[in-house]
Amino acid sequence: LPSFKNKDFIKIWSAGCAQGEEAYTLSILFLDQGFKNFKIFATDFDSEIIEMAKSAVFEIQKFDEFPIYLKIKYVEKLNDNKLKVKDFVKEHIEFKIHDLLSPPFDNDFDLILCRNVLIYMQKEAQRKVFENLTSSLKKDGILILGKVEIIHPDFEKFYLPLNIKEKIFKKII
């Protein structure tokens, strides 16, 4: 987050967001660091999953690793099994139906997370997704992949590894 401190507005894409855990966690982290001007676009190709994500209701176990102070500030207990992310956290997130193999729905992102999505795709599909992600990310933007994913060889020249272990890359071209 420190590399975003001097930005007026931060545009984020959580690609392949599933039920939205990553998008809500990002919103909580940015809010907790004092950021106010950011928007997270969370996309998935499954409309039912997107509807579930919009509800912001999760099994209580999903928050097991959250520090207690974050739970108190950003989520509310619905019952013994469920927690709901507070509305002010949701305000920074827009859920959209989007297939990563389709043309990008937007561009000029400062941060793109595409974690644990590419591992389920064949090489040619991965190449198309990297083409879309790369064209959507600003120069100097950050791309974060899943722990076992790598930059497609055709797109390595566009990225500088910032943290190989965590799969964090900076777009340099």
Side-chain angles (χ1 to χ4, degrees), residues 73-125:
K73 192 170 180 181
Y74 299 104
V75 297
E76 55 193 320
K77 191 172 184 177
L78 292 181
N79 58 44
D80 288 342
N81 300 320
K82 305 257 187 198
L83 295 174
K84 184 177 191 300
V85 177
K86 292 183 179 178
D87 286 344
F88 72 93
V89 176
K90 292 171 61 175
E91 290 172 3
H92 293 275
I93 304 170
E94 181 178 331
F95 288 98
K96 295 169 122 352
I97 298 167
H98 180 260
D99 183 340
L100 292 173
L101 296 172
S102 300
F105 69 94
D106 210 344
N107 60 16
D108 292 330
F109 286 97
D110 298 292
L111 172 63
I112 297 176
L113 294 95
C114 186
R115 299 176 65 240
N116 305 319
V117 175
L118 298 164
I119 55 175
Y120 300 106
M121 297 179 176
Q122 299 295 324
K123 286 282 185 216
E124 192 49 43

Side-chain angles (χ1 to χ4, degrees), residues 31-148:
L31 287 166
D32 202 57
Q33 292 294 313
F35 291 95
K36 292 179 179 42
N37 294 320
F38 66 93
K39 185 74 166 183
I40 300 167
F41 295 88
T43 64
D44 202 285
F45 70 94
D46 186 328
S47 59
E48 289 180 29
I49 292 284
I50 288 290
E51 287 308 309
M52 288 174 60
K54 287 178 181 178
S55 75
V57 175
F58 298 96
E59 298 290 322
I60 204 162
Q61 297 84 356
K62 292 281 187 182
F63 290 92
D64 282 351
E65 294 183 25
F66 264 58
I68 191 72
Y69 82 95
L70 289 179
K71 287 185 211 177
I72 291 168
K73 192 170 180 181
Y74 299 104
V75 297
E76 55 193 320
K77 191 172 184 177
L78 292 181
N79 58 44
D80 288 342
N81 300 320
K82 305 257 187 198
L83 295 174
K84 184 177 191 300
V85 177
K86 292 183 179 178
D87 286 344
F88 72 93
V89 176
K90 292 171 61 175
E91 290 172 3
H92 293 275
I93 304 170
E94 181 178 331
F95 288 98
K96 295 169 122 352
I97 298 167
H98 180 260
D99 183 340
L100 292 173
L101 296 172
S102 300
F105 69 94
D106 210 344
N107 60 16
D108 292 330
F109 286 97
D110 298 292
L111 172 63
I112 297 176
L113 294 95
C114 186
R115 299 176 65 240
N116 305 319
V117 175
L118 298 164
I119 55 175
Y120 300 106
M121 297 179 176
Q122 299 295 324
K123 286 282 185 216
E124 192 49 43
Q126 289 177 359
R127 188 191 182 294
K128 183 64 181 163
V129 170
F130 266 100
E131 182 181 320
N132 292 338
L133 295 175
T134 301
S135 68
S136 297
L137 189 62
K138 285 181 182 176
K139 184 178 183 290
D140 296 325
I142 304 297
L143 173 66
I144 302 177
L145 302 176
K147 299 247 184 190
V148 298

Side-chain angles (χ1 to χ4, degrees), residues 141-166:
I142 304 297
L143 173 66
I144 302 177
L145 302 176
K147 299 247 184 190
V148 298
E149 295 169 325
I150 60 170
I151 298 283
H152 189 283
D154 291 354
F155 294 89
E156 288 176 343
K157 67 183 176 210
F158 292 94
Y159 296 97
L160 173 69
L162 296 181
N163 184 324
I164 291 289
K165 184 178 179 231
E166 298 299 326

